[in-house]
Amino acid sequence: MKKVLSLILILLLALTACGTQEKEETATPKENKTEEGTNAAKESSNTRELTAEDEKFAELIIAKDYETVVKETGSLKSESQKDFYYIASAFIKNNEIQTKTYDPNDPNAIITDHKVIINYLNRVKFVPDNIKDQVNELRSAAEKKLAELDQQ
């Protein structure tokens, strides 16, 4: 009986030590990036070669066929697919905001929707040049509207 209790105590101690070490590793502060630093890093990484798939998705974005882009990139297999998924999702959310009727008693709903657009666009690591203006326009419009709503 003493051997079993000793074994359980040793296992418990080992598991506790492993769990504490993992918590310490995740608790250590990572690089503290400001929003400006993140955006600067994104702009410097905009040197990816466009593939045929990238061009296809960019053309679909230009044609405002966001649903097709989301369906075809939903697997998020590559960085390129992730980027186009997030871009298309941001445009879809923007279209929803334009047609949605918000309850005047719940001002947080529209604020949350604009934050969703900004969050989608913040996840994008690469924007092709032919849709960069559209994406930047969407980002600035969402940020401007969010700033207006926060002041109210």
Side-chain angles (χ1 to χ4, degrees):
M1 184 67 173
K2 287 184 179 181
K3 288 183 180 180
V4 173
L5 286 175
S6 297
L7 181 62
I8 291 174
L9 184 61
I10 290 171
L11 286 174
L12 184 61
L13 182 61
L15 289 175
T16 305
C18 291
T20 305
Q21 182 181 12
E22 182 178 323
K23 285 181 186 176
E24 288 174 2
E25 289 175 3
T26 58
T28 58
K30 303 284 183 210
E31 280 186 47
N32 200 6
K33 293 184 177 180
T34 62
E35 195 170 313
E36 292 172 8
T38 306
N39 289 338
K42 285 180 188 175
E43 288 181 22
S44 68
S45 67
N46 283 347
T47 57
R48 188 167 71 195
E49 285 290 323
L50 285 180
T51 63
E53 184 182 51
D54 291 342
E55 291 176 13
K56 175 182 136 185
F57 293 142
E59 290 301 318
L60 288 169
I61 297 280
I62 291 169
K64 300 182 186 219
D65 191 359
Y66 311 123
E67 296 293 334
T68 302
V69 175
V70 168
K71 286 177 188 171
E72 292 186 20
T73 60
S75 64
L76 306 175
K77 289 181 181 176
S78 67
E79 284 299 315
S80 175
Q81 286 186 354
K82 289 177 187 177
D83 290 341
F84 282 103
Y85 178 85
Y86 296 138
I87 292 168
S89 296
F91 278 106
I92 289 171
K93 183 52 110 174
N94 185 55
N95 289 344
E96 287 176 13
I97 290 172
Q98 303 303 320
T99 59
K100 190 174 180 181
T101 306
Y102 290 94
D103 180 8
N105 297 326
D106 185 18
N108 288 330
I110 193 167
I111 291 171
T112 302
D113 284 349
H114 281 88
K115 285 182 179 179
V116 167
I117 292 173
I118 293 168
N119 286 336
Y120 275 135
L121 295 178
N122 284 341
R123 291 179 179 183
V124 176
K125 294 179 180 150
F126 174 76
V127 180
D129 290 336
N130 56 344
I131 62 170
K132 191 172 282 191
D133 290 340
Q134 287 178 300
V135 172
N136 288 339
E137 186 177 310
L138 177 62
R139 179 189 305 274
S140 62
E143 289 172 347
K144 181 180 176 184
K145 185 66 175 178
L146 188 59
E148 289 174 10
L149 294 169
D150 281 340
Q151 290 178 359
Q152 292 178 355

